[in-house]
Amino acid sequence: MTASRVTVAVRDAEGRRHDFPGAESGVRLCPSGHTFTSGAREFAAGSYTMFGSWRDADGGWHPLPSITLKVGAAAPVPESADGPSWDASGGWRRRFSDEFEGTSLDTSKWHTGWFGTGVTGPVNDAEDACYDARNVSVSGGALHLRLTGADASCKGETRRHTGAHVNTMGTFSYSYGAVEYRARVPATGGAVANWPALWDTGDFWPRDGEIDTMEGLSGESCSYWHATGTDRGHCPSGARTGWHTFGHRWEPGRITWYYDGQPVHTETSGVVGSPHYLVMQNTQGSFGGPTLTPADLQVDYVRVWAK
């Protein structure tokens, strides 16, 4: 028989999903068996149930026999003087970084679509762009996320722009710590163009929350915390052109945002500690600023630390 899709599913002790990324389509199942290799992801210490799963032609999913996956605590990372630009006190541990050297995206860290590859639909239905992996590139020591005025089809409809998106879903996540980006957002007439965003979120939105380190909203450069029953943000004044650093520090019950190394905004309402993965995108839509195409969101680096 032929399975329309196969994948590897994982459930934690409370039944929550932690599936491995990726799936294979049109798999012919034979007595000799079939080997499927999923993408990689990190797991917190604990006990999990892992099983293969296949989907029939009518869309129904069927689990295969399961095994127990036991994950031990990660080895400690030595402390160093490294840390975000706003805190030189030391004691930080580098958890993740990408300096975007070389000529291609590190696909062991980043995926180039939203729940798919190639051309995918947007994160938010208020966006009027599809994401296309061909609009993602690395050159000159920076990541380039390009938005064009070319029509694209995704999620069953044609959208009037084609944007770019990368994320670390299944490859890296963190709970609490500091995140910093050095980026150059697209701008026109002194305003942030389009709807670029540097952010992170968890597997279960909005329960796990969403931290927008930088989101271009109506021409402003803003920071936001979204969670169940909470939607709070701030748009600090400052230059909208050129290179800037955007960061946040996430602590139990508290998030503080930084712009060019200075604190600009703090939220304490509804802050939770569920693991988040990183997301960067360049798109346009209902909440964006003035349209500029072609336009390039450039990222010099992204770094994540823990105390």
Side-chain angles (χ1 to χ4, degrees), residues 151-172:
D151 288 351
S153 295
C154 56
K155 296 185 72 173
E157 60 185 51
T158 299
R159 300 174 189 264
R160 56 185 176 177
H161 295 97
T162 304
H165 171 105
V166 296
N167 68 74
T168 65
M169 186 191 303
T171 64
F172 171 77

Side-chain angles (χ1 to χ4, degrees), residues 31-274:
S32 59
H34 177 79
T35 299
F36 164 67
T37 303
S38 72
R41 68 165 298 161
E42 289 189 352
F43 289 87
S47 181
Y48 301 83
T49 301
M50 182 169 67
F51 54 94
S53 188
W54 63 277
R55 188 168 68 183
D56 59 33
D58 296 325
W61 283 97
H62 306 273
L64 296 169
S66 65
I67 64 171
T68 299
L69 174 67
K70 293 184 177 180
V71 180
V77 180
E79 292 187 355
S80 70
D82 183 30
S85 62
W86 63 83
D87 186 352
S89 63
W92 291 98
R93 295 177 289 116
R94 182 80 70 92
R95 291 282 317 281
F96 175 93
S97 67
D98 200 330
E99 309 297 313
F100 301 110
E101 303 292 343
T103 58
S104 62
L105 185 72
D106 186 345
T107 55
S108 70
K109 297 178 178 178
W110 303 98
H111 305 293
T112 55
W114 186 244
F115 289 94
T117 58
V119 178
T120 69
V123 174
N124 190 319
D125 285 339
E127 298 173 47
D128 61 17
C130 301
Y131 301 131
D132 192 329
R134 293 173 294 184
N135 285 3
V136 179
S137 63
V138 174
S139 64
L143 169 70
H144 300 265
L145 300 174
R146 187 174 175 84
L147 178 76
T148 75
D151 288 351
S153 295
C154 56
K155 296 185 72 173
E157 60 185 51
T158 299
R159 300 174 189 264
R160 56 185 176 177
H161 295 97
T162 304
H165 171 105
V166 296
N167 68 74
T168 65
M169 186 191 303
T171 64
F172 171 77
S173 61
Y174 77 108
S175 292
Y176 303 130
V179 178
E180 185 171 78
Y181 302 85
R182 182 173 184 264
R184 182 170 187 154
V185 301
T188 182
V192 175
N194 308 320
W195 193 1
L198 311 169
W199 56 293
D200 53 63
T201 190
D203 290 336
F204 301 96
W205 189 95
R207 187 184 73 191
D208 290 350
E210 172 189 326
I211 304 174
D212 297 330
T213 312
M214 189 291 301
E215 182 177 12
L217 297 173
S218 300
E220 301 290 329
S221 175
C222 305
S223 57
Y224 261 84
W225 165 244
H226 302 279
T228 303
T230 303
D231 187 15
R232 300 171 64 88
H234 176 68
C235 303
S237 60
R240 302 287 179 249
T241 59
W243 289 93
H244 298 279
T245 58
F246 306 92
H248 70 260
R249 181 171 183 172
W250 180 17
E251 305 168 273
R254 184 183 185 91
I255 305 170
T256 302
W257 285 263
Y258 297 83
Y259 178 59
D260 285 340
Q262 299 300 312
V264 293
H265 177 208
T266 298
E267 289 294 344
T268 59
S269 176
V271 175
V272 296
S274 302

